[in-house]
Amino acid sequence: MSARLHNRTALVTGSTDGIGVAIARALAAEGAYVVVSGRDTARGEKVVAAITESGGRAGFARADLSLGAAAVRELAATATELAGGHLDILVNNAAMLLVPAPTAEVGEDVIDRALAVNVKAAFLLTGLLAPAMAARGAGAVVNLGSIAGLSGTGGSALYSTTKAAMHSLTKSWADEYGPSGVRVNTVAPGPTFTEKVAAMEEHLAPMLARIPSRRPSTPEEVAKAVVFLVSDDASNIHGATLSVDGGRAAI
Ligand SMILES: NC(=O)c1ccc[n+]([C@@H]2O[C@H](COP(=O)([O-])OP(=O)(O)OC[C@H]3O[C@@H](n4cnc5c(N)ncnc54)[C@H](OP(=O)(O)O)[C@@H]3O)[C@@H](O)[C@H]2O)c1
């Protein structure tokens, strides 16, 4: 096990499934203590067990990020306690993936929930945890953006909006927290082959034809970019977007 993150502590939202699991495992493999989080306790405990079995350190904090400020405050407090009193790394990864739909058919409840989980929770959580990192003079936040937040796609206006918001928040937070030693960056995946994305195969095929690498990313490839950005290898990288998309954003 290499140890670029030895003695660091991390919270990864949405790490009970998909890309978040790979991020949690990759951070732990570099020596970080990782707080795994999501709504599903059984899946979360499985991720913790897998990390522990491979020699890493992790704990689980359940949270439903659609429930607003009180739930986010509780997650921040529980995660900080599990981590032994402070968090060095925050990965704002949790998001609702939305099946493409015409704008006129998207209900208000879906709009509210997507904004709450994909944007508001990350906003509140960063506001709770980044000031403590700043007070210690060091820390790293990674927001999960998306190719969908960098370009427009008909039928995905809501999801794209939430991801574009994460790209924007990275830049504002880089300016706000950078002078205190807290680096904030974005990882922007293209289509990434999780179980859920595999199940949307009919939407995936036309996207792959427009990717220079002609294939989706793997969750592990996205996780490697997150590890790089939170490690000291990225010590003067602030406010950047690292695309892991087979070149899609470049064309
Ligand atoms: N997969 C892709 O192709 C792709 C491409 C570009 C960007 N991204 C971005 O990458 C990130 C991860 O995506 P993914 O594909 O891994 O998604 P995923 O497989 O759907 O996993 C989403 C994670 O978020 C958690 N989550 C969802 N709603 C939640 C809520 N209300 N409260 C707390 N946690 C919640 C889920 O946990 P529970 O079910 O336990 O709540 C799960 O762990 C997202 O930010 C996404 O926008 C993904």
Side-chain angles (χ1 to χ4, degrees), residues 7-246:
N7 279 340
R8 311 271 171 93
T9 56
L11 167 60
V12 184
T13 66
S15 45
T16 54
D17 207 357
I19 293 170
V21 175
I23 295 172
R25 294 185 73 150
L27 294 174
E30 291 285 350
Y33 175 87
V34 179
V35 180
V36 172
S37 186
R39 291 164 300 178
D40 191 311
T41 303
R43 275 194 271 116
E45 299 287 9
K46 257 174 83 176
V47 177
V48 169
I51 289 173
T52 311
E53 277 158 25
S54 49
R57 296 173 307 129
F60 178 69
R62 190 188 177 279
D64 183 342
L65 297 175
S66 69
L67 299 179
V72 176
R73 268 199 305 275
E74 194 181 322
L75 171 60
T78 308
T80 303
E81 195 183 321
L82 278 172
H86 76 267
L87 284 158
D88 302 299
I89 295 162
L90 168 63
V91 183
N92 286 312
N93 168 77
M96 277 175 68
L97 304 185
L98 298 163
V99 175
T103 295
E105 290 173 18
V106 180
E108 187 180 5
D109 56 330
V110 177
I111 298 170
D112 287 345
R113 211 147 25 91
L115 290 171
V117 175
N118 297 14
V119 182
K120 184 171 135 184
F123 190 102
L124 292 168
L125 198 53
T126 303
L128 288 164
L129 297 177
M133 295 178 193
R136 287 196 314 281
V141 177
V142 169
N143 291 327
L144 269 287
S146 173
I147 181 67
L150 293 167
S151 56
T153 311
S156 289
L158 177 58
Y159 178 70
S160 294
T161 295
T162 67
K163 294 285 97 183
M166 297 308 285
H167 287 263
S168 175
L169 287 170
T170 290
K171 293 175 194 168
S172 297
W173 288 337
D175 189 33
E176 185 171 348
Y177 297 115
S180 309
V182 181
R183 297 183 302 98
V184 186
N185 291 290
T186 301
V187 167
T192 303
F193 211 63
T194 62
E195 273 176 36
K196 265 178 217 151
V197 168
M200 296 184 192
E201 203 138 22
E202 76 278 14
H203 299 294
L204 198 58
M207 287 186 213
L208 297 186
R210 299 224 52 218
I211 296 177
S213 71
R214 296 288 189 272
R215 68 168 181 86
S217 300
T218 65
E220 290 71 26
E221 286 171 323
V222 176
K224 280 180 192 168
V226 173
V227 168
F228 165 67
L229 285 172
V230 302
S231 77
D232 293 344
D233 290 342
S235 52
N236 200 28
I237 299 180
H238 291 247
T241 297
L242 181 46
S243 291
V244 185
D245 63 356

